[in-house]
Amino acid sequence: YNLVVVPPDMTNFRKQTLPVLEQYLAGGGEVLALAPAAESVDGRPSDAVRQLRQKYAAQWHEVNGLEGLLAEVRKRLPPRIEFAAPAPSGIGFSERTFANGDRWVMLANTGLQRYRTQAVVAGGAVEEWDSVSGKMTAAAFEPAGGGRVKVDVDLAPAGSVVLFVKKTGQPGRPAGGQFARLETGSWQAKADTANVLVLDYCDYKVNGVERKDANTWAANWDIWQRHGFERPAWDNAVQFKKRVFDRNRFGKDSGFEAVYRFEVSDAAALKGLELAVEAPELYRVTLNGKAVDFTAAKRWLDPHLKSAAVERLAQPGWNEVKIAAAPFDVKMELENIYLRGNFTVESAGRGFRVGAPRVLEFGAWRRQGYPFYGDAVTYSASVDVPAGSSQVKVELPEWTGSVAVVLVDGKPAATLGWQPYESVMPVSPGKHEIGVRIVSTPRNVMGPFHNPTKPRMRAWPAAWAEFPAHQPEGAAYDLLDYGLTAAPMVSVAK
């Protein structure tokens, strides 16, 4: 060690530490102590540490506080890294040194502000190691004199960088390549999959009791309780052996009926319309009195959630989906059902209505008729890369989603999940298509939609257990904004 620091409140040493520490002091090492000499060794009273301090009093220095410690350290050791700009609070530093003198230098930004500067480290060459892709590339560095190099550091909020500093190596690439703005064609937006309307209120009948305009969560609990269960067997619960299935003996008069209603304001919304129901094979499902055929239905989101074509069964105006179950079966659960297709979703006095399709633009999808959409939207534009350029940079100034995928000519070129929301990609001169796919989350499909605490970044079973007794207006649903809200910035390397 070059220097040993005794931390504050260190009142005990291990017995094995003392001979090693004495050997270090005998070799001329120094100790900076933020605490008086410890009075215990292995948890027992001992003056061994005090005697060691007295024996090497000229090398054992007591310092007052962290500022004093920093001043004393700087007198004795050169900094292992220096920054051109003062580092804000929240910048973390760690390093690992190899036997040959090479080392890893790891920097992290735990703050909310971007930190861009240059760092000076001892060494002859620097590589940047990408912890996501595993790529190792020459970093932008230049000689700083005295066996040191100066390297660019760019730490986005919550960002990090891993530098591999070598004792010797070839000169690095010139620091700071410059980019010039590149004009694009008009941006076009297209949803990757069908739009969605969630139907989460219904009328239902069970055991001679009829309820109107009930949330499906409440209806499901009532149905199970009226069939002799304390609660739904699969809702936040575990079956012991086959105790639930052993009760699966219900008469032909058991079961329930549930009716969901939706309004279509424009006939154009009916083209390609589909209805998605969980485990439809357990029920008799009709739309406007006609059976819905799920034999050719396709899986959607879940193996048991099937989406079937209903374009020929639906109609402009009001529509009625009926789910009939008889006899009751413990595999049944009354859940939300879903409309899927090329339409928009319009807020109404109670819930929502289905409207005519429209072209998506920049902005939140929720405000463009896609409030329940839980997939991705791809924005694309043409560019003409000039001769002599071989790199394109794409920057996303404003967007909301889980990740963004940058595409070049339809092929994924970069994935952006944290700041900086930009990527540099190789291209050849000529015409190309630049795309940005914004990926949302299942939150707006699955909810919760009505919890008064409006939970964010988390959800738990009880979060779905709070809702208005009757369906509120669409504007009252708790839905998140996803989308690309400003045009991407595209530039080319000069």
Side-chain angles (χ1 to χ4, degrees):
Y1 294 97
N2 296 318
L3 190 62
V4 169
V5 176
V6 177
D9 303 320
M10 186 168 179
T11 60
N12 179 74
F13 273 67
R14 294 186 66 192
K15 180 176 65 176
Q16 297 93 326
T17 302
L18 293 179
V20 177
L21 183 58
E22 183 167 10
Q23 182 181 6
Y24 163 77
L25 290 165
E30 289 187 277
V31 172
L32 300 180
L34 288 163
E39 299 178 353
S40 299
V41 175
D42 282 352
R44 294 181 174 84
S46 172
D47 63 354
V49 179
R50 182 178 56 81
Q51 292 176 3
L52 192 62
R53 183 197 65 184
Q54 290 175 348
K55 183 176 180 180
Y56 297 95
Q59 298 157 244
W60 192 295
H61 314 282
E62 291 191 0
V63 295
N64 183 25
L66 296 179
E67 291 295 329
L69 173 65
L70 182 58
E72 294 298 323
V73 169
R74 283 175 170 164
K75 291 178 184 178
R76 292 164 173 81
L77 297 174
R80 294 199 293 273
I81 186 168
E82 294 180 272
F83 296 113
S89 61
I91 301 299
F93 165 79
S94 182
E95 66 176 352
R96 297 290 184 273
T97 303
F98 296 88
N100 66 352
D102 294 344
R103 59 180 176 146
W104 276 328
V105 173
M106 292 161 277
L107 301 169
N109 183 3
T110 64
L112 298 178
Q113 300 299 320
R114 189 173 187 175
Y115 179 53
R116 304 178 72 172
T117 186
Q118 285 189 316
V120 176
V121 294
V126 184
E127 293 178 350
E128 185 168 343
W129 290 15
D130 190 325
S131 60
V132 176
S133 68
K135 293 180 179 179
M136 297 174 286
T137 57
F141 73 90
E142 57 192 43
R148 302 182 303 165
V149 294
K150 184 183 295 184
V151 60
D152 292 342
V153 171
D154 187 355
L155 290 170
S160 62
V161 64
V162 179
L163 302 175
F164 186 58
V165 183
K166 300 184 287 188
K167 292 184 67 175
T168 61
Q170 298 298 318
R173 55 183 167 84
Q178 295 188 353
F179 287 80
R181 187 72 177 267
L182 183 64
E183 292 297 323
T184 69
S186 60
W187 288 90
Q188 307 296 322
K190 183 179 180 181
D192 285 11
T193 59
N195 197 7
V196 180
L197 170 60
V198 179
L199 302 178
D200 65 334
Y201 278 78
C202 66
D203 301 341
Y204 70 97
K205 298 177 182 179
V206 56
N207 290 358
V209 176
E210 185 172 353
R211 295 283 185 267
K212 297 286 188 180
D213 194 21
N215 185 271
T216 53
W217 191 96
N220 187 53
W221 270 67
D222 190 24
I223 289 167
W224 277 81
Q225 289 173 336
R226 292 184 185 277
H227 285 89
F229 290 84
E230 181 182 357
R231 55 179 297 143
W234 317 117
D235 185 342
N236 200 29
V238 176
Q239 175 183 221
F240 178 70
K241 293 185 177 181
K242 298 193 299 178
R243 287 190 175 179
V244 175
F245 282 106
D246 287 345
R247 298 177 62 179
N248 202 23
R249 298 183 295 272
F250 296 93
K252 62 181 181 179
D253 294 332
S254 63
F256 62 91
E257 285 186 359
V259 175
Y260 301 78
R261 295 180 175 85
F262 65 92
E263 183 183 7
V264 176
S265 63
D266 193 301
L270 299 177
K271 186 176 180 180
L273 189 67
E274 295 186 8
L275 173 68
V277 176
E278 185 173 353
E281 68 277 5
L282 299 176
Y283 313 102
R284 295 186 304 280
V285 182
T286 61
L287 173 54
N288 297 327
K290 298 178 181 179
V292 178
D293 184 3
F294 283 91
T295 56
K298 298 178 181 179
R299 165 183 170 166
W300 178 62
L301 297 182
D302 181 274
H304 300 286
L305 192 54
K306 301 297 178 64
S307 185
V310 293
E311 175 183 345
R312 296 184 178 182
L313 304 181
Q315 61 191 20
W318 283 100
N319 294 260
E320 184 177 282
V321 177
K322 179 183 288 187
I323 294 180
F328 183 72
D329 190 296
V330 295
K331 295 190 292 295
M332 295 175 174
E333 285 190 293
L334 186 63
E335 300 279 1
N336 298 342
I337 63 173
Y338 309 87
L339 292 178
R340 304 178 63 238
N342 182 24
F343 53 73
T344 54
V345 176
E346 305 167 349
S347 180
R350 278 181 47 192
F352 301 84
R353 69 174 66 90
V354 176
R358 58 174 285 189
V359 176
L360 284 169
E361 301 173 346
F362 292 124
W365 307 336
R366 180 173 68 89
R367 305 174 191 277
Q368 301 181 64
Y370 280 65
F372 297 104
Y373 187 67
D375 209 289
V377 171
T378 299
Y379 304 78
S380 57
S382 60
V383 296
D384 193 352
V385 178
S389 296
S390 60
Q391 290 182 317
V392 166
K393 178 193 283 188
V394 176
E395 302 173 74
L396 305 185
E398 297 178 34
W399 68 285
T400 307
S402 59
V403 295
V405 181
V406 181
L407 304 103
V408 177
D409 297 327
K411 297 180 180 179
T415 300
L416 308 178
W418 48 85
Q419 296 189 50
Y421 300 124
E422 60 185 47
S423 180
V424 176
M425 297 147 294
V427 294
S428 59
K431 296 186 180 298
H432 296 275
E433 183 181 78
I434 299 297
V436 176
R437 177 181 293 132
I438 302 298
V439 183
S440 65
T441 74
R443 165 59 174 77
N444 284 355
V445 183
M446 299 300 178
F449 303 122
H450 309 290
N451 192 290
T453 66
K454 299 184 183 297
R456 297 293 184 263
M457 309 300 291
R458 67 194 191 280
W460 56 99
W464 280 261
E466 295 188 63
F467 40 79
H470 301 292
Q471 187 172 25
E473 61 178 350
Y477 277 60
D478 181 29
L479 296 160
L480 306 187
D481 284 340
Y482 293 105
L484 184 59
T485 52
M489 296 173 58
V490 182
S491 54
V492 291
K494 291 183 177 180

